[in-house]
Amino acid sequence: MVDPRALRSSTIVYRPIKPSDLEALEQIHGDLFPIRYESEFFLNVVNGRDIVSWGVVDCSRPEGQSDKLIGFVTARVVLAKESEIGDLLNYDPLRIDQTLIYILTLGVVEAYRNRGIASSLIREVIKYGSSIPTCQAVYLHVISYNDPAIYFYKKMAFKCVRRLQDFYYIRGRHYDSYLFVYYVNGGRSPCSPLDIVAAVASYMRSLFKSLAAKVWKNEDMKIASSSRSSRWSKCKETNCLLLATQNKRIVSPDQSVGCQCVV
Ligand SMILES: CC(C)(COP(=O)(O)OP(=O)(O)OC[C@H]1O[C@@H](n2cnc3c(N)ncnc32)[C@H](O)[C@@H]1OP(=O)(O)O)[C@@H](O)C(=O)NCCC(=O)NCCS
């Protein structure tokens, strides 16, 4: 049990997970998750075999505890073409090397929660994914009743893109899961708001072009039939074209920020 008063003066350190973390890692997983993981999974984590991970310790804890894990995140790099979210990416079939980061487990022991530790861990994963040029997204599953985790991933700007029925089977019961995605390096859903805005912008551009052409034509006809000076007419045309450009700017792709595509 951790003394809450001691937490105020704690020194949180993020470091790689190492073989000596094996026991603590197994213990925290057992405490936090309803799913039992095989020994091989833990051995792979601590030895960095096909799994990337970050650990957290509180150096201000007494001797013997100061290097004991209080949080962790484990993840795996997977090929986009072999993943279940290939259809949610701006997938280029010619680029068979496109990858994703799949978060396997994330946990912080209870006494250390709500202090931004999991947020820091997830930011590390996102930074890692962004540093891999082929990486398109970071994604994960959350069991449908895990409200704190659902809240947490939404807060971290992950998009909830899918609900998978009966994804988990735990102690004789089925549970749904939510699929959360965070796009990196320009990887994005083919039906993302950005695409919709781009399509609307392109439509508006052609609409304004044809309107401008019509106005231009009318002005030419007016010039031919009126006795006004050509200089005044030109000025009016310029105004009209300027207005069209301004309208087009209203539909800028930047405005899609904050929207999400839920399948
Ligand atoms: C989800 C979890 C990793 C969050 O860890 P954490 O270190 O407390 O997260 P942070 O402090 O970075 O951020 C927590 C945010 O979620 C909110 N939150 C955390 N626990 C919460 C809870 N029980 N109920 C509601 N919101 C909660 C916090 O209020 C905070 O939001 P805020 O900054 O707006 O206040 C942690 O609760 C946990 O280990 N849960 C058990 C394991 C688990 O469910 N893992 C995720 C599934 S893979």
Side-chain angles (χ1 to χ4, degrees):
M1 185 70 188
V2 183
D3 179 358
R5 280 167 304 175
L7 282 179
R8 270 180 244 131
S9 58
S10 56
T11 311
I12 302 299
V13 171
Y14 298 82
R15 64 157 175 76
I17 293 181
K18 51 192 181 184
S20 58
D21 292 322
L22 185 62
E23 200 184 317
L25 192 70
E26 283 197 60
Q27 189 205 322
I28 311 177
H29 274 74
D31 292 346
L32 299 188
F33 301 114
I35 298 168
R36 295 287 146 250
Y37 291 87
E38 292 183 6
S39 312
E40 200 187 339
F41 166 71
F42 298 110
L43 285 170
N44 288 341
V45 174
V46 298
N47 292 306
R49 280 199 297 256
D50 290 338
I51 291 177
V52 284
S53 64
W54 289 261
V56 193
V57 294
D58 176 1
C59 292
S60 58
R61 287 172 88 185
E63 193 58 34
Q65 300 268 294
S66 60
D67 198 39
K68 193 175 173 192
L69 288 183
I70 52 132
F72 58 82
V73 61
T74 66
R76 174 178 278 143
V77 180
V78 297
L79 279 176
K81 66 175 172 150
E82 287 170 7
S83 83
E84 65 189 294
I85 65 159
D87 61 319
L88 296 175
L89 299 167
N90 201 13
Y91 185 65
D92 179 355
L94 295 175
R95 292 204 50 200
I96 52 167
D97 61 341
Q98 284 181 334
T99 58
L100 303 164
I101 306 276
Y102 179 59
I103 295 180
L104 297 159
T105 57
L106 165 75
V108 175
V109 302
E110 205 153 349
Y112 286 88
R113 288 192 193 156
N114 294 316
R115 305 173 78 211
I117 292 176
S119 307
S120 298
L121 287 167
I122 289 299
R123 276 195 292 271
E124 280 304 315
V125 178
I126 291 171
K127 203 162 79 182
Y128 176 71
S130 306
S131 74
I132 303 173
T134 56
C135 184
Q136 299 272 287
V138 176
Y139 78 106
L140 63 121
H141 295 101
V142 178
I143 200 160
S144 55
Y145 62 72
N146 192 347
D147 292 334
I150 291 165
Y151 174 91
F152 169 77
Y153 284 114
K154 284 185 177 168
K155 191 195 82 160
M156 295 300 293
F158 276 70
K159 291 175 184 5
C160 181
V161 291
R162 203 165 266 172
R163 185 177 176 124
L164 301 161
Q165 226 174 355
D166 298 338
F167 183 81
Y168 292 105
Y169 184 71
I170 303 165
R171 290 190 278 272
R173 268 197 68 186
H174 283 104
Y175 298 90
D176 294 355
S177 93
Y178 290 110
L179 188 61
F180 279 90
V181 181
Y182 186 100
Y183 294 101
V184 296
N185 297 331
R188 62 193 157 89
S189 163
C191 64
S192 77
L194 208 63
D195 292 293
I196 295 164
V197 172
V200 172
S202 148
Y203 172 76
M204 295 298 273
R205 205 178 305 129
S206 56
L207 190 72
F208 281 123
K209 260 188 196 163
S210 75
L211 274 175
K214 271 186 193 159
V215 171
W216 191 284
K217 208 171 150 193
N218 283 347
E219 289 299 324
D220 277 352
M221 282 163 72
K222 273 190 209 158
I223 291 163
S225 62
S226 89
S227 57
R228 284 185 189 163
S229 80
S230 62
R231 197 177 158 167
W232 170 236
S233 303
K234 247 188 197 162
C235 191
K236 276 173 97 180
E237 285 158 25
T238 315
N239 274 345
C240 183
L241 287 171
L242 254 180
L243 197 65
T245 318
Q246 280 159 0
N247 279 348
K248 203 169 65 185
R249 270 202 204 124
I250 292 168
V251 210
S252 106
D254 293 339
Q255 286 178 321
S256 69
V257 173
C259 303
Q260 64 183 55
C261 166
V262 179
V263 181

